[in-house]
């Protein structure tokens, strides 16, 4: 059973922790962003190396290496977006009467460089994995891409739980592309497609003949199952965001006093007794 449980638990922890870590880093002072981005870039470079080094392998550990490599690459994409380095063309928050395809065009414009970055990095992953026997990283990237785009489209069209408080201040304008609604027509399609793919990878995992195939398919099954769960997070009236409340601690900083304000010592704040009349 460890051949099934170990990769599933590993993927579950990586999904939960990496999501929280990015939210936590986004909440730090902006002066730290360049160092965070430098670290994410080094991590992505290491991720591509892991993909390349494991591409020709067919042992269980090769599936782990490819999976970790793609997670590192995807972490760069998420960090570059939420830190504000790779977003889109400058755009102001849409007016209240902006809707339909015009509104979608504004949303695409505000995120265009991020979307093109995904395509570019996918091209590198595809080039590394195309003729290699280990395609764990390639399929993982595709599932992460699907999870990302489907969730964003559902938030754009309307869901119950927007969780907009997770957005950092410098991405406040993106809230204009988030719509609150009980349901939208894309949601059942997203969940149905994801469920079918999840079932297929699960059948492949339980029918695998080698440890490599079993490990690889369990990674894909778990990530796709998490995609389905994330979609339900958007709709069900339950406080799922509590899973990452710990990551908001980096935003709890005391407000700076206004420029030119006179600093008052703690002793001066103590009320002195009023003189008797």
């Amino acid at each position: 059973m460890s051949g099934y449980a170990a990769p599933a638990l590993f993927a579950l922890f990586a999904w939960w922790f990496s999501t929280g870590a990015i939210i936590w880093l986004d909440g730090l002072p902006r002066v730290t962003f360049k160092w965070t981005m430098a670290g994410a870039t080094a991590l992505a470079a290491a991720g591509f190396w892991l993909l390349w080094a494991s591409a020709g392998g067919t042992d269980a550990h090769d599936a782990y290496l490819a999976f970790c490599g793609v997670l590192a690459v995807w972490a760069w994409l998420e960090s570059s977006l939420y830190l504000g380095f790779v977003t889109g063309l400058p755009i102001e928050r849409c007016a209240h009467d902006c809707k339909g395809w015009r509104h979608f065009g504004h949303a695409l414009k505000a995120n265009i460089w991020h979307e093109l970055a995904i395509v570019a990095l996918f091209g590198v992953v595809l080039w590394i994995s195309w003729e290699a026997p280990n395609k764990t990283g390639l399929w993982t990237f595709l599932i992460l891409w699907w999870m990302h785009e489907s969730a964003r489209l559902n938030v754009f069209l309307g869901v119950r739980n927007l969780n907009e408080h997770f957005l950092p201040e410098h991405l406040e304008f993106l809230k204009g592309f988030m719509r609150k609604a009980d349901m939208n027509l894309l949601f059942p399609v997203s969940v149905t497609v994801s469920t079918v793919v999840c079932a297929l990878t699960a059948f492949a995992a339980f029918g695998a003949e080698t440890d490599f195939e079993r490990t690889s398919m369990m990674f894909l099954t778990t990530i796709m199952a998490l995609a389905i769960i994330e979609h339900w997070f958007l709709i069900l009236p339950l406080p799922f965001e509590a899973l990452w409340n710990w990551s908001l601690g980096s935003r709890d900083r005391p407000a700076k006093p206004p420029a030119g304000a006179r600093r008052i010592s703690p002793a001066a704040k103590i009320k002195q007794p009023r003189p008797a009349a």
Side-chain angles (χ1 to χ4, degrees), residues 95-104:
H96 292 295
D97 60 344
C98 184
K99 58 184 178 180
W101 286 107
R102 180 167 170 260
H103 190 47
F104 178 77

Side-chain angles (χ1 to χ4, degrees), residues 51 55-56 122-139 142:
L51 276 173
F122 171 71
V124 179
V125 174
L126 181 63
W127 175 72
I128 294 173
S129 309
W130 183 251
E131 295 183 352
N134 182 5
K135 290 185 169 57
T136 306
L138 175 63
W139 297 121
L142 283 172

Side-chain angles (χ1 to χ4, degrees), residues 96-119:
H96 292 295
D97 60 344
C98 184
K99 58 184 178 180
W101 286 107
R102 180 167 170 260
H103 190 47
F104 178 77
H106 290 160
L108 182 60
K109 181 180 177 182
N111 292 274
I112 189 64
W113 302 132
H114 170 67
E115 300 299 336
L116 291 177
I118 294 178
V119 175

